[in-house]
Structure formats: structure tokens, C-alpha cells
Amino acid sequence: MIDKVLDWCCASRKTVVVALLIVTAVMAAFASRVEIKTVFGDLLPRNHPFVKVNEQFKQAYGGSNIVSIMIEVKEGDILNLPVLAKIKKITEEVALIPGADPFQVTSLASKKLKEITATTEGIATNPLMWPDLPRTDEDLYELRRAITNNPLVYGAYVSRDFKAALITVDFYDHLLDYRVFYDSITHIINENKTPDIEIRVVGEPMLYGWVIHYFGETERLFLGTIVCLFLVLFVIARTWHGTIIPLLAAGTSAVWAIGFAGALGFNLDPLVVVVAFLITALAISNSIQIVQRFDHKLTAGIEPTSEGAARAALKKLFRPAMLAVVADAGCMIVVAMTPIPVLQKIAFIGGFWVLSLAFCAVILPGVATTWIKGPIRFAHPINLKGPMHVLLRGCSYLATSQWRHAVILASLAILMSSGIYALNLKVGDANPGSPILHSDATYNVDARALNSVFQGADRMFVVLSGDKGDTIKDPAMLSNMEALQRYMEAQPEVGGSLSIVDVLPAVNRTLHEGNPRYLEPGPNAGVNGELGYLFVSGSDPGDLQRYVSPDYRNASVTLFLRDHQGDTIRSTVARIQEFTAANPPPQGEYLLAGGLAGVLAAVNDVILAGQIEAIAFALLILVLLAAVTYRSLAAGTFFMIPVVLSNTLTFSYMAYYGIGMNINTLPVVALGIGLGVDYSFYVVDAIREEMHHDGDLNRSIRDALHSAGMGVLTTVLTLVVSVSLWSFSSLRLQSEMAALIAIWLTISAAAALILMPALVYVFKPAFVVGRRQGAAKMTAGLVGAA
């Protein structure tokens, strides 16, 4: 049936091409609707309890889109009028950025930071520096005194040495546009920065703003990669059809995939370009195999006509090509099991993209080659096929000589050692700062500087939820919160904490004429209620809600972390859970966890489970497909070998260079499972076909390597050289993934060209060599063992 379908495709080539052109035109129309942007909500597992807590309380306690702006002077301190004027101006300007929450702007020049004083009329809370700036030296002295005496400000919003001030602003998730934010904040920085004043900005909106800022560079690198693909492929293939057809197949499949995204209303995240290149590599790989086999059959005179050579190439390669396509699509789709919207979108788009290769990278190249007239003429005199054939002869020698045993043993040793070292792979960010950018990038430099001066830019809040209203006023509940704060501050990565327990003692002390003896909450719920009332009566609406709900049922404990590495976040969550298990609050429970660090804890938690599931199901799909295709369970096990080897080596590389398993790397890892076995499908299937015609295993391996192996070598050389351009990317993620892809391709090719033929030669699996030779080998092995 398959042969009849392929014969019809070649015979009705014009009909097939017209149908593909119509589909491509429709998909191109849909593709024009696709937006390239990052949607923060798509990065979060919405059903995770931590994310639910963040969504419920972020309006009061601050969400995951808080931006921290540090104004730092190089000489002197910030308590001079020009610098204070800059702080005031920047505070007012950031509140006007589209998407900013005006009630969550906090700085020395905002209404949020106040001095608590006692007057004849009661407790008064006056803004430290709002609405007017200090005018005299005496005013500056009073401001310094007020800052020093306020633990909610000193060290938190003004550095201990008075050389830096902090401004924080939260943004509404649904109103935040990263491009608009980046342009606005960059304008503010450039307008207010001077040789004596350094302005540093940290936060997720700024991070993704930098990603968008580098999008122009990403486009240039992508175009450069296409040019490089064309040039390298042209040099190696030496023919126009051998160059254009693989690139045409890759381009057509890309249009289909982007059109599919547009039809579903999906946006494309700028960081998915790595996944796009991987699938492009699959398209080029499959189409090169067909073109190479076509050239081989036409040049060697095996088929006298172009149509006959195209039919023969399609029929010979259809099984391994479809096996590779379906296996790769399965590996991509299993990523959708991870309940994070952006990963599910990548899985659906990527799965469709890979499946489209059946038409774009298998049928289309096969049909296109029917128009190529023989004899094949070369477009230039440079011939790299000679050295490549020499290399393939070396692979054949290693696989069929006495060295085959050394190859297998060395591979086993590498597999075991890399498997053990791969256990060091971390889930979440493996380094301080953002792994998306290089360590010397402006954003990461700013993050290090800010975290060294202040308590920490990354926040996590936990909510103490009482059984009923007024529960938080209970001294036992306040004491429990204070104990949690002291316990968490003992963790080196926690720079400080903040809660209602830090507010009520300040009011109590002021009420008792500044006597430090009363720097503690009240002795009972009634007194604490009065202290809270005194604070609210002299403040603006919402001031107290930063710490406790109006009915005193819920209160937050905010932790300031110095980084959001996976280990830091896991340690923080574990310590909170450890404390709450040993010291449960008397009238409620702690709800974990909001803020940026809280939602990242949820993401890491989901990825840890999703990584194991994705890899397990991808391997299961691979085993089942190979077993069904070759009607042999041994085939499924056999093809797991290159996958496991390439993945353990790649994971070891990630562990060694501090590349964590996160939301950006998981799709690459899942697709890499398919990438690790595609070449082996082609080589082993070629050995199988040669065995059916020849019967001599040594010659079959040699001939298979010089046909299918040439396609593998051409693909790897083309892609590795082209992907090396991404090492110059300003985005660390892209440069690291480029190295990862190059390593994956190289290891997979080495396994397909050396290890798999050696395993076939030694173990003679029946699904490759035939049941007679396979049974004879098994009998000889049993006799030898006896």
C-alpha cells in the first residue's frame, strides 16, 4: 500500500506540488497573524498551589513582576538635594509607566515610607520625603535621623552607608508589555543617569525587556544561520538541487508550523528559536538522506531515470524517515504533560511541525528530485566527498575489526561515568542572576550589585491565614510569625524579612515616648488591635494592607532572597515547611508561596516531575515505535542505546557548565531524545536493506555507511558549522543551547556511524541480519557461555 502511495506521488508530482503550495499559502496567511512576545502568565503552572496563593494575594503583598531600581552615588551619599531630586523624579516617572500599579510604588520619595511619631493628638505617620524635598541642612539632618530610626527603611530602602536608595514598583500581569516597559525604563535611566549617579534595574519585566532588546540580533543570527546552511550545504553537496531542496523542505515546514500557531491564536516566545532550529535540523536531516540516496542511485546507474531513482529513494527511506518523524513528534508532544502553558504551546506547535516533515521533508524532496535530469552535474570543483568517504571507511573499520570490542566497552564506560555525573544536573537556575543572559551582561551585573547592597531583589511571601477574623492580633500568632522570620534569616541566601511584626513594635515604642523597652507587640489582642488602629488612623488607605488584611485574618511574611537559584528556592521552601511542621500556628496555617521566588518554586517543582515523565514517556514511545516498525521488541531496546548515551553525555555537559533544567531547556531536552536516534534509524535500516540483498554483514555495514552514513555526515557537518554562529549571541541561553545542539548532533552521529554498526556486527540482532543469522549468533553465544 505504501509503495502504491509513493508511486502515485511520483507519477502525480504536479498535483502533489500544487496541493503542498496551496497548504503553504494558507498557512502563510495564518502565520502573518502570529505575534512574537513573552506572556508572563504562560510561564506559570496555574493549578499549582503556590501560584494560586500568588494570584490570591499579589494585589496586597506584591506579585512576581516587581521591579527594583537602585540609585547609587559614587562619591558622598544620597542625602543631598540633587540626588534626592533624582530619586523623587524617577519615583514619579516609573509610576506612569503603562501597567504599573500606582499603589505598589515604594521609595524614599513615595507616600509609603513614613516616620511614626507621637503628638498631643495621638500617633502620626508622616511621609519621609513627600510631597516636598528637604530644603535646608536642618531638614536633611532630620531626614537622616528619621531614616536611621526606622527599621522598615534603613537597610531596606536606603543602604546602611547612605550611598544608595531603592525604588520598587509592581506591575499588573495583564497590562504589562515588556517592550513598552523596556523602552520607558531605558528612557528614564538615560535621562537621569550622570557620571556620579549609577542607576540599576532588576526584575522579571527588565529581564524579558532585555530579551526583546536583543531580538534584532536574534533575527540577524537566524538569517546568518540560513546563509551559512546554504553555503556549507552547497560546498558539500556540490549540486544546486542538493542545496536548495533541503532548505526548501525546512522553510516549508516552518511556514506550516507558524501558520498552525496563528490558526490556534498562539504567540511565539522569542526564546523558542532554539527549538525551531532543532526541528529545522530534523527537516534538513531527512531531506538530505533522500537527496543523497537519489544521487547515489542515479550516479551509480542503479536506476537509469530520475523518476526511478526518486521512487527507489523514497521507498527505501520511507520507513526510517517516518519512524524518525513519528518518534520525534512523540518526544515533542510529551512535553505537553508539563502543566505550564508555554511548554504546552511549544509541544503542540513543535509536534505539528515535526509531523509536517512527513510531507515537507520526505514526500516533497522525493517528488522534487523527479525533475532532476541526469547525469548529475557539479556546480563547483571543490570535492569534500573524498575525505568524507575516507572518514566513513575509518568508521567501518572500527565497527567491523577487532576494535569493535573496544568501541563497545569504551561506550559502556562513557555511558556509566556520564550517567553518574549527570545526577549533578540541577532543576531550576543553576547560577546567580539570570541564565538567559551572560554573567557579564548589564542585567546580571546590576543584580549582583543590588543584592550586595540591599536585602535582596527576589521576593517570596508566605501567608499566615487565621481561622477567623482578628486572629492575627493574637500575641501567639505574632510570636509565631516572628520566630519564622528569625529562623529564615539564619539562611545565608535570605537577606531579610518583613511582616506586621515589624510594624506594631514601632508604633508601641512611639506610644511610650520612644522607650526601646516597648519595641515589641502588645501583650494581648486588644492592645495589638489598638496599635494597628493607631497606625492606620494616621496613614493612607492600603498602607497596612501591605502587611495584614483589614479583618486581621491574613498576614504576610515577605522574605528577600539574594538570588533565585534552584537550590536557594528549594532550600527556602524546605526550611519554611520544616519550621511550620515543627511550630504550627495556634489558630491557622501558613500558605506557600507568592512573589517571584514563590512562583519559580512552583515552576521548578512542576519541571522536576515533568522532566522525569517527559523523558520516560519519550523513551517508551521510542521503544514502542521501533518494536512495531520492525516487529521486534529487541529493536526497541536496541535503539535506546544511542538515545541513552547521547542524553547522559549531554546532561553531564549541562551539569558541568551549570546549565540548569528549566522552562527554556526542557523542550530542547525532550526533542533531543528523538534527535539522538534519528541517524541510527537511517544507518541501521540501511544495513538491514543491504543484508537482504547481499547477505554479507561486513559488506553491508560498509555499503550502508557510504550511503546512509554519507547523509548523516553531510547533515552533521552542515548543522554544526551553522549552529556555531549562535555562540556569538548576547543571550546566554541561545549560545549554550547552540553548544548543546552541536554536542548532541556530534554524539548522535558518532553513535550511528561507529557504535551501532559495531553492535550489529557483534550481536547480529535478528531484525537487522535476518532470523537465521540472528539465531545462529545467539546459539554460538550460548555455546560459548556454556
Side-chain angles (χ1 to χ4, degrees), residues 631-643:
R631 302 180 183 181
S632 168
L633 288 175
T637 306
F638 192 71
F639 284 114
M640 279 186 65
I641 296 171
V643 174

Side-chain angles (χ1 to χ4, degrees), residues 616-640:
F617 274 95
L619 290 175
L620 178 62
I621 289 171
L622 171 63
V623 170
L624 291 177
L625 287 174
V628 170
T629 301
Y630 292 104
R631 302 180 183 181
S632 168
L633 288 175
T637 306
F638 192 71
F639 284 114
M640 279 186 65

Side-chain angles (χ1 to χ4, degrees), residues 108-131:
L108 194 60
S110 72
K111 296 172 68 176
K112 293 288 185 183
L113 298 184
K114 302 179 179 182
E115 180 185 18
I116 304 173
T117 59
T119 68
T120 56
E121 298 179 356
I123 298 295
T125 55
N126 301 310
L128 292 171
M129 201 180 71
W130 184 91

Side-chain angles (χ1 to χ4, degrees), residues 733-767:
L733 173 69
Q734 291 179 351
S735 61
E736 287 182 339
M737 291 300 102
L740 209 62
I741 291 171
I743 291 172
W744 232 316
L745 290 168
T746 304
I747 296 170
S748 301
L753 297 176
I754 303 174
L755 177 59
M756 298 304 284
L759 291 171
V760 169
Y761 197 82
V762 171
F763 295 102
K764 296 182 174 60
F767 79 94

Side-chain angles (χ1 to χ4, degrees), residues 95 117 188 211 230 242 252 305 462 472 497 505 582 594 629 650 680 684 712 760 771:
T117 59
I188 292 172
V211 173
F230 176 84
T252 304
T305 65
V462 294
I472 301 301
S497 64
T629 301
T650 307
S680 295
V684 173
V712 170
V760 169
R771 298 197 177 276

